[in-house]
Amino acid sequence: TSISQNGGPTCILVHTTRGEVLGAYTAVPWKESNDFYGTPDCFLVQLQPRFQVYRPAVTGNEHHFMYLHSSAGSHNTSHMTCSLPNGLG
């Protein structure tokens, strides 16, 4: 199943081999796109080793919150590229 087939908001949690717990929330569904989209309601979160929320920087007309393009940065179309919210990566 592709992340772009999800019909609603997305919450992702990851437990790393170093014991970190990280997460991401998107308020709108993922979609295949050649441009950024979304709302400033998305964020990244670190739960362990200490709690920290990372919200996107909203400046002027920049709306770089989410990006999903299955072949961006790769010649392999089975590879999916996602981008972090503006100001976070």
Side-chain angles (χ1 to χ4, degrees), residues 16-78:
T16 72
T17 58
R18 295 183 298 195
E20 301 161 317
V21 179
L22 311 170
Y25 172 77
T26 64
V28 298
W30 289 96
K31 65 180 180 180
E32 193 69 33
S33 177
N34 291 328
D35 202 1
F36 288 91
Y37 60 95
T39 68
D41 296 328
C42 63
F43 62 88
L44 300 176
V45 64
Q46 175 181 306
L47 301 170
Q48 291 289 334
R50 68 181 178 93
F51 181 77
Q52 181 71 42
V53 176
Y54 302 93
R55 297 208 175 266
V58 180
T59 56
N61 289 332
E62 291 187 23
H63 301 289
H64 297 176
F65 305 117
M66 300 167 59
Y67 179 78
L68 173 66
H69 193 287
S70 61
S71 60
S74 173
H75 296 291
N76 179 354
T77 57
S78 66

